[in-house]
């Protein structure tokens, strides 16, 4: 049985790669969508980072809901499956080989999109590979199950196109796959909760950014697994070995209802739990790209002295006049609620806080050294060490990245200074602070 399964799997792959139609639908169409999306969304930072999940979903949807049933029905029309029926215990291994071959095709198309997006637009590959692989497996499971059901219901290849469009178009237009959910009206976002496309896009997005992690990610996987299981069971039960008319009454209607039941269930759960809203896009954290080798290569030699006139840092518990101590205490308390230091992107928040030390330094504030010390202590207290190290390394290695704060009147630092000098001084402070965080510089 295993030998036959492997032979059928290899044969299916060879036939698909030898035919023009599977190559066009499996690879040319995904590349077309990549170029189309890149033309519209290339201005993002990084480009396409929030559209890759949509592109990969479109690729999987086309390959599974059009490519798979088209191949199955075409083979059935040629009488191949009627001959396969003569084999002992044929259905399970043959269907498994067909599904696995289609998975290889759509997965390779997804990898092609990721590689081309990197080469053409500079889009980073998935950062959270564990999330991405789990999500892609669930997406493929759901859509391949739907493709199997379409093949069972379709009487011929044109019918596959018609049934496939009944799934493809709603998912593209109002299901969050082609048009982002964020720009759709509330009624469309609610309706999309009943469609598998939004769960596929949200799950895959968790591989590229921090959007939709945690409980939301697990719920998306559960929805896709349930949809795929019900559709796959219905498709297997309604599977036809020949071109006999499809059985659409009685038990067939029951299985179709079973296939649709998870769609209804997950939609109702999403509405009841108020999870129908589109995920808010979070700015990707560039500090996550910083590697340990990059941080280890940062040199702490030739830094300005801490007691000098450029980028000074006061010693811990330095004595201050009463008025200065009072002013510093006010600044520390205001830092707790200072909006630029509270942004969701931790690397950007760290860069904003470095800007405060840089502003005090550039305007030669009488408390420039103590303010820098206060910023360092605030960073220690409010950021995990791994996040802090990468955020400081990002500011040191990429002074032109992100944005900087040029004035902070809320902190009694009201001078509006040149952005370039703020970036330069922030980078120096970043190296000084990083050395202390990593134990390379004494406090």
């Amino acid at each position: 049985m295993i030998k036959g399964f492997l032979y059928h799997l290899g044969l299916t792959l060879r036939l698909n790669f030898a035919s023009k139609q599977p190559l066009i639908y499996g690879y040319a169409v995904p590349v077309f969508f990549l170029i189309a999306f890149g033309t519209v969304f290339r201005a993002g930072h990084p480009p396409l980072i929030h559209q890759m999940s949509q592109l990969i979903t479109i690729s999987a949807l086309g390959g599974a809901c059009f490519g798979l049933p088209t191949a199955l029905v075409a083979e059935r029309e040629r009488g191949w499956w009627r001959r396969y029926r003569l084999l002992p215990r044929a259905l399970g291994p043959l269907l498994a080989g067909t599904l696995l071959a289609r998975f290889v095709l759509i997965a390779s198309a997804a990898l092609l999109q990721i590689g081309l997006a990197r080469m053409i637009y500079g889009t980073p590959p998935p950062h959270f590979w564990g999330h991405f692989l789990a999500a892609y497996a669930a997406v493929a499971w759901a859509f391949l199950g739907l493709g199997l059901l379409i093949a069972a219901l379709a009487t011929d290849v044109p019918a596959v196109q018609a049934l496939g469009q009944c799934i493809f178009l709603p998912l593209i237009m109002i299901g969050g796959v082609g048009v982002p959910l964020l720009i759709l009206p509330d009624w469309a976002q609610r309706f999309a909760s009943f469609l598998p496309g939004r769960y596929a896009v949200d799950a895959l997005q968790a591989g590229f950014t921090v959007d939709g992690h945690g409980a939301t990610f697990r719920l998306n996987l559960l929805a896709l697994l349930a949809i795929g299981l019900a559709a796959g069971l219905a498709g297997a039960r309604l599977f036809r070995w020949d071109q006999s008319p499809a059985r659409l009454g009685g038990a067939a209607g029951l299985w179709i209802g079973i296939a649709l039941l998870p769609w209804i269930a997950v939609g109702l759960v999403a509405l009841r739990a108020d999870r129908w809203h589109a995920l808010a896009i979070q700015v990707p954290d560039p500090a996550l790209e910083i590697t340990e080798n990059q941080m280890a290569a940062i040199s702490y030699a030739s830094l300005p002295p801490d007691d000098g006139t450029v980028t000074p840092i006061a010693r811990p518990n330095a004595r201050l006049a009463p008025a200065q101590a009072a002013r510093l205490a006010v600044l520390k308390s205001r830092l707790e609620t200072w909006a630029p230091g509270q942004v969701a992107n931790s690397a950007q928040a760290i860069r904003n806080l470095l800007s405060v030390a840089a502003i005090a330094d550039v305007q030669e504030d009488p408390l420039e050294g103590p303010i820098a010390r206060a910023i360092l202590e605030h960073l220690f207290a409010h950021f995990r060490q791994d996040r802090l190290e990468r955020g400081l390394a990002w500011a040191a290695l990429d002074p032109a990245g992100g944005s900087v704060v040029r004035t902070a009147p809320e902190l009694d630092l009201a001078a509006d200074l040149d952005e370039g000098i703020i970036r330069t001084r922030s980078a120096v402070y970043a190296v000084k602070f990083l050395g202390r965080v990593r134990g390379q510089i004494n406090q």
Side-chain angles (χ1 to χ4, degrees), residues 94-378:
L94 291 175
L95 275 184
T98 300
L99 293 173
L100 182 56
R102 184 58 53 176
F103 176 80
V104 171
L105 292 173
I106 63 175
S108 60
L111 292 175
L112 176 65
Q113 287 180 310
I114 293 172
L116 288 178
R118 178 68 172 176
M119 292 173 56
I120 299 173
Y121 303 110
T123 307
H127 183 80
F128 305 97
W129 274 104
H131 284 75
F132 178 78
L133 294 176
Y136 193 82
V139 169
W141 169 270
F143 290 157
L144 288 173
L146 292 173
L148 186 60
L149 180 58
I150 291 172
L153 297 176
T155 56
D156 50 31
V157 171
V160 169
Q161 303 300 317
L163 290 172
Q165 292 293 355
C166 292
I167 296 176
F168 189 80
L169 288 180
L171 265 62
I172 290 291
M173 300 303 296
I174 58 175
V177 176
V179 181
L181 278 180
L182 277 172
I183 67 175
L184 292 176
D186 285 351
W187 71 264
Q189 293 188 32
R190 288 189 175 93
F191 185 78
S193 299
F194 294 88
L195 304 177
R198 74 163 299 159
Y199 302 105
V201 171
D202 288 352
L204 289 170
Q205 188 59 44
F208 288 90
T209 64
V210 296
D211 304 335
H213 281 209
T216 299
F217 180 72
R218 292 190 291 272
L219 289 173
N220 288 332
L221 293 189
L222 183 61
L224 292 168
L225 293 175
I227 290 171
L229 177 62
L233 285 175
R237 292 291 297 179
L238 299 176
F239 184 82
R240 290 182 290 143
W241 296 93
D242 52 36
Q243 281 298 94
S244 59
R247 301 165 292 172
L248 297 179
L254 175 62
W255 280 105
I256 294 173
I258 291 175
L260 294 176
L261 187 61
W263 297 43
I264 300 172
V266 297
L268 292 175
V269 169
L271 293 181
R272 184 177 181 84
D274 199 31
R275 291 181 175 271
W276 57 270
H277 303 278
L279 288 176
I281 292 179
Q282 300 184 37
V283 179
D285 193 339
L288 295 176
E289 301 293 330
I290 301 296
T291 66
E292 177 62 33
N293 288 338
Q294 288 176 297
M295 290 190 288
I298 293 175
S299 173
Y300 304 103
S302 303
L303 286 172
D306 290 344
D307 57 357
T309 58
V310 177
T311 61
I313 303 178
R315 293 183 175 276
N317 302 316
R319 291 186 177 182
L320 299 174
Q324 291 180 324
R327 181 189 166 207
L328 187 63
V330 171
L331 183 142
K332 288 181 178 180
S333 65
R334 291 178 179 176
L335 279 177
E336 298 295 329
T337 56
W338 189 55
Q342 310 293 322
V343 296
N345 186 322
S346 62
Q348 184 58 56
I350 291 169
R351 191 183 286 265
N352 291 340
L353 289 163
L354 289 170
S355 299
V356 175
I359 292 171
D361 174 36
V362 173
Q363 72 178 29
E364 299 182 357
D365 190 284
L367 288 178
E368 54 184 334
I371 288 175
R373 172 61 60 178
I375 296 298
L376 175 60
E377 293 173 352
H378 182 88

Side-chain angles (χ1 to χ4, degrees), residues 302-304 309-312 351 353-363 392-406 417-433:
S302 303
L303 286 172
T309 58
V310 177
T311 61
R351 191 183 286 265
L353 289 163
L354 289 170
S355 299
V356 175
I359 292 171
D361 174 36
V362 173
Q363 72 178 29
L392 292 172
W394 175 57
L397 296 171
D398 185 15
S403 59
V404 293
V405 177
R406 295 165 48 190
L417 302 173
D418 177 70
E419 178 179 326
I421 190 65
I422 294 298
R423 288 185 178 277
T424 301
R425 300 292 176 89
S426 294
V428 177
Y429 271 123
V431 176
K432 287 189 170 187
F433 289 179

Side-chain angles (χ1 to χ4, degrees), residues 375-394:
I375 296 298
L376 175 60
E377 293 173 352
H378 182 88
L379 292 172
F380 266 118
H382 291 80
F383 294 89
R384 290 199 332 246
Q385 180 164 339
D386 59 333
R387 291 274 183 170
L388 180 55
E389 288 183 1
R390 282 178 165 77
L392 292 172
W394 175 57

